[in-house]
Amino acid sequence: MRSSSHSSPRSRAAALATAAAAAAAVTVALVPLTAAPATSSASAETRTGTTYYVDCAGGDDSASGTDQDSAWRTLAKAGARTYEPGDRVLFARGTRCEGTFAPKGSGTAEAPIRAGAYGEGGREDRREGRKGDQGGQGERRTAKPEIAGGGARAAVLLENVEGWELRGLAVTNKGPATTTEPRAGILVRLTDHGTGRHYVVEDTDVHDVNGADVKDVEGSGGILFAAAGEKRPTAFDDVTVRGNSVAHVDRTGIGTASTWGKRPEHPNGPGTSFAPITGLAVRNNDVRDVGGDGIVTHNAVGARVEHNRVHGFNMRSAGYNAGVWSWNSDKVVTQFNEVSGGHGTRDSQAFDIDGGNNGNVFQYNYSHDNEGGFLLVCNGDGMTSDRNTVRYNVSLNDQNRSAPYGVVSVVCGPSTRTLVHNNTIATGVEGTPLVSGNGPGGVTFRNNVLAGAAGGSSVSAAPNTFDHNLYFRVPSVPSGDGGAVTGDPLFTGGADGTTPGSPAGIALREGSPALGAGVPVQDNGGRDYFGNPVPDTPDLGAYHGGPR
């Protein structure tokens, strides 16, 4: 049904004080996250190196660049330097640098090379490498320094280098309208390099990138990591993309891609072997108005994609796109994300289990108001997609009225042992199926709340398995669901059977038929969407906080 450059289908929430408070904690994208800092205090203490300054408004390329009064002026000068471990290159706040920053030289995790901002009043930015530090609270700072690519391949290009950290920048790359030229805001690319280690992109604003509708290694987007080549297996390790804003970019918001994807699970994949991207964390980013995919991880193993906000994706693409998804990737945990505003029905689901995905988990996410629906299950031709789990997610007023799609769509090639359990899926949009597909099967729906529109919403059964779900306003309940429960789930936020307006509203009132109606699920995650423990006999849906 779908195609890509791979010649296969689309390379596509402490207990609850109150339900409202918990939902807010889950669905606000840019919440503080307990995570390791970008560098340890020990590495900061032992770091050696030189700091270079760039002032694109008042600098001088003939100057030394080693203090603020002798700053360089251009990106060409800054990029001509081969930097050493521990070096820093800082750009003056409130300035605009035109062209591409393409530096040379590599750092290490212990002594990274850092690019960032300095000013105002001659004071440097001291935010770097501090966990949770928002940069001198109370300081007055001017705007972030902007690097404007003007239509180049990338505004910031890290080519065959490693050990780099980027913070506190603004990046744009707008050129003449094009249908052929790939463009990126930040492109980190390795070609026949081997494994590149330690990269951080943090607190950076990427906006207005108008590249061609091209994905994968030579694609367009906001923040991209590309492993390329055909001679030496190439990959990334230890990559953090955190606390950035990406807005109005074509075509991918944040993504990874690789030409090293051939393995038993993807026998027709690119390259001659599999070189996985490891140590990848995409956290606390705000992605809005992207032409195609919001956040996509290709060739990743063990990645974490969490606490991100994606709104407005698939806005200008002729291809197949999703809000957050993976391709040819294993053990990826996608959690605590909020995805909305997906445009169109050529996919445009919030989340997607796609080709070659194995052991991936989608949990504690909030999907709403997506034209393409909440979830796509779509394995690629000849690929293995096995043992994936979708649990404790909330989908409100998602839709897809284009056959064979629905709020949940099971299409393309068959997946195996896919478990969709304890999700709350409710829509008030007439004419959209709750579950639909074209027959590949391989999905078990267990302990879910499936609440349809007033006029009724269908659930297509065969050849998937349905077990102990609640069906509300579903005209024909799957005959194979021997533990089916029917009736109004009695949401606290759904008066007279209406769809709740937020996750806070999916809590269950006294007398709800969903209370205590579930069956145990092995390795169930232990907590619900709101952080409530899951009892031995679970409730149905994503809420387990008891009757309200």
Side-chain angles (χ1 to χ4, degrees), residues 156-427:
V156 177
L157 176 61
L158 300 183
E159 180 87 62
N160 281 347
V161 297
E162 33 186 312
W164 274 84
E165 300 182 358
L166 309 177
R167 288 186 180 85
L169 303 174
V171 176
T172 185
N173 192 8
K174 186 174 183 179
T178 182
T179 59
T180 59
E181 296 182 21
R183 295 174 183 152
I186 297 172
L187 174 60
V188 184
R189 183 170 60 195
L190 302 177
T191 304
D192 292 324
H193 178 85
T195 300
R197 304 183 188 280
H198 190 74
Y199 304 85
V200 176
V201 181
E202 184 175 23
D203 186 34
T204 289
D205 303 333
V206 181
H207 63 96
D208 294 296
V209 178
N210 64 335
D213 188 12
V214 180
K215 62 165 62 181
D216 301 329
V217 169
E218 286 303 323
S220 299
I223 302 173
L224 304 178
F225 286 78
E230 55 185 20
K231 299 176 181 178
R232 182 183 181 188
T234 295
F236 295 93
D237 177 64
D238 185 17
V239 178
T240 299
V241 182
R242 177 175 56 204
N244 304 286
S245 69
V246 178
H248 195 63
V249 303
D250 294 316
R251 69 175 304 285
T252 300
I254 298 171
T256 66
S258 176
T259 62
W260 297 94
K262 189 179 184 69
R263 60 177 181 149
E265 294 83 357
H266 189 12
N268 298 319
T272 57
S273 63
F274 183 58
I277 297 169
T278 55
L280 172 64
V282 183
R283 295 178 169 127
N284 297 88
N285 301 284
D286 189 272
V287 179
R288 296 175 184 264
D289 187 23
V290 293
D293 296 308
I295 299 173
V296 54
T297 52
H298 285 203
N299 262 55
V301 173
R304 293 294 182 268
V305 182
E306 54 195 5
H307 293 286
N308 301 288
R309 177 72 169 98
V310 176
H311 177 72
F313 60 93
N314 200 19
M315 302 301 289
R316 293 170 292 278
S317 175
Y320 296 93
N321 302 279
V324 181
W325 66 286
S326 298
W327 171 268
N328 200 29
S329 295
D330 298 347
K331 298 180 182 179
V332 178
V333 177
T334 300
Q335 60 184 357
F336 306 110
N337 302 286
E338 179 178 353
V339 181
S340 62
H343 173 65
T345 57
R346 198 179 190 197
D347 286 12
S348 206
Q349 291 83 4
F351 302 99
D352 172 15
I353 299 175
D354 218 291
N357 289 332
N358 299 277
N360 295 346
V361 178
F362 293 78
Q363 60 186 5
Y364 317 125
N365 299 292
Y366 175 33
S367 168
H368 62 101
D369 303 293
N370 293 292
E371 292 180 1
F374 156 54
L375 175 67
L376 176 69
V377 181
C378 176
N379 189 26
D381 288 339
M383 302 178 75
T384 299
S385 187
D386 184 54
R387 292 188 179 275
N388 297 291
T389 302
V390 181
R391 63 191 182 192
Y392 310 112
N393 301 285
V394 177
S395 165
L396 300 178
N397 278 327
D398 289 321
Q399 60 173 298
N400 196 323
R401 292 176 283 184
S402 178
Y405 296 119
V407 176
V408 177
S409 304
V410 185
V411 297
C412 311
S415 300
T416 53
R417 294 179 288 187
T418 301
L419 180 57
V420 178
H421 77 88
N422 288 101
N423 302 279
T424 296
I425 302 172
T427 185

Side-chain angles (χ1 to χ4, degrees), residues 403-545:
Y405 296 119
V407 176
V408 177
S409 304
V410 185
V411 297
C412 311
S415 300
T416 53
R417 294 179 288 187
T418 301
L419 180 57
V420 178
H421 77 88
N422 288 101
N423 302 279
T424 296
I425 302 172
T427 185
V429 181
E430 299 289 350
T432 187
L434 285 166
V435 180
S436 186
N438 63 0
V443 181
T444 296
F445 294 86
R446 179 173 291 141
N447 293 351
N448 301 286
V449 170
L450 302 172
S457 300
S458 65
V459 172
S460 63
N464 299 298
T465 300
F466 291 81
D467 176 36
H468 285 81
N469 300 285
L470 184 150
Y471 305 90
F472 179 50
R473 291 174 173 164
V474 175
S476 180
V477 173
S479 58
D481 192 342
V485 176
T486 59
D488 188 337
L490 299 180
F491 296 131
T492 58
D496 299 320
T498 59
T499 302
S502 72
I506 72 161
L508 303 173
R509 287 184 277 152
E510 187 78 44
S512 169
L515 292 167
V519 291
V521 174
Q522 189 175 4
D523 298 324
N524 65 7
R527 52 157 290 179
D528 72 357
Y529 177 91
F530 302 97
N532 299 304
V534 176
D536 292 339
T537 300
D539 301 325
L540 303 182
Y543 171 77
H544 289 75

